[in-house]
Amino acid sequence: MNKLQDEKKYKKVDASRILISELMQPSNSNFNGKIHGGYILNLMDQIAFACASKHSKTYCVTASVDTVDFLNPIEIGELVTMKASVNYVGNTSMVVGIRVEAENIRTGVVKHCNSSYFTMVAKDDDGNSVEVPGLILNDKQEIRRFLKSLKRLEMKRYRKKEFEEKDFSPNDYLHILEGYKVKVSLS
């Protein structure tokens, strides 16, 4: 295989990395004066789309969002920066890792607000899933991210299998509820 063919089959992580920054406006705040989480999720979905589309060179859709933990609130007037990269590729899907940071532009203090993982699927003009290029991993960080994506996918499959069991009986699990703030009232 010549070098041009190999470049079409595999791409470096850096080739589709995206970075965006936006100043947070009062119009994006919630009733508590902090930036609304839904607004941040919308921006994250946009950067995930851009990153996945850049990697696959096609339209992409969001298949799932994994682990959205809001670690620190974002204030009006802070500069939010989102960094996205393709951490994993399957046949037609990609996991895009996104890191969200907010900077107080007066003090220069930067805080990590959120990290999340969006699974994106490449589509053709007819809506059919299409194959995506593989990844060329260039450093230990990229290898670590790929391996962690594999682990998250494995856990996701396990959870799906566990909750789809046909013979699931709540009575077998009632002992687990002891110590939780819950009452069971079966009729």
Side-chain angles (χ1 to χ4, degrees):
M1 177 182 325
N2 69 36
K3 187 174 180 174
L4 184 61
Q5 288 173 317
D6 192 46
E7 287 175 3
K8 286 185 178 183
K9 289 193 169 258
Y10 292 89
K11 292 177 83 172
K12 291 181 180 182
V13 173
D14 283 345
S16 55
R17 205 176 297 273
I18 302 277
L19 185 135
I20 62 168
S21 294
E22 183 174 321
L23 187 65
M24 293 296 104
Q25 303 289 324
S27 60
N28 300 320
S29 66
N30 60 24
F31 295 111
N32 198 27
K34 310 295 182 196
I35 300 304
H36 196 290
Y39 181 71
I40 298 301
L41 284 171
N42 179 41
L43 290 176
M44 293 171 73
D45 192 48
Q46 289 178 45
I47 195 172
F49 168 82
C51 184
S53 294
K54 191 173 179 184
H55 180 80
S56 65
K57 298 234 182 279
T58 187
Y59 181 78
C60 293
V61 296
T62 306
S64 71
V65 180
D66 189 23
T67 316
V68 179
D69 294 322
F70 293 97
L71 307 172
N72 289 297
I74 299 171
E75 307 290 336
I76 295 168
E78 288 185 322
L79 182 66
V80 168
T81 299
M82 296 187 183
K83 303 170 186 175
S85 63
V86 176
N87 291 354
Y88 167 87
V89 293
N91 188 37
T92 62
S93 67
M94 297 151 278
V95 173
V96 176
I98 303 169
R99 181 178 175 93
V100 179
E101 296 175 339
E103 178 182 358
N104 180 314
I105 55 177
R106 288 180 286 159
T107 66
V109 173
V110 176
K111 60 187 174 187
H112 177 208
C113 298
N114 173 321
S115 288
S116 191
Y117 307 95
F118 281 59
T119 300
M120 308 298 289
V121 177
K123 298 287 186 176
D124 65 14
D125 292 339
D126 297 321
N128 300 308
S129 297
V130 294
E131 189 173 350
V132 299
L135 276 181
I136 299 170
L137 306 176
N138 282 316
D139 60 35
K140 288 181 182 179
Q141 175 86 320
E142 291 172 359
I143 294 168
R144 183 182 66 77
R145 287 177 177 162
F146 192 93
L147 291 171
K148 283 192 165 202
S149 292
L150 286 176
K151 185 67 173 171
R152 277 191 302 280
L153 288 169
E154 180 184 322
M155 295 304 293
K156 194 177 198 178
R157 283 187 208 108
Y158 174 77
R159 284 191 314 267
K160 184 177 179 182
K161 180 183 170 199
E162 181 180 34
F163 287 105
E164 287 179 348
E165 288 180 4
K166 301 266 189 257
D167 60 346
F168 178 83
S169 171
N171 292 334
D172 295 339
Y173 297 93
L174 287 177
H175 67 281
I176 294 173
L177 300 178
E178 293 174 15
Y180 286 92
K181 196 171 182 176
V182 63
K183 285 185 178 183
V184 176
S185 178
L186 300 174
S187 31

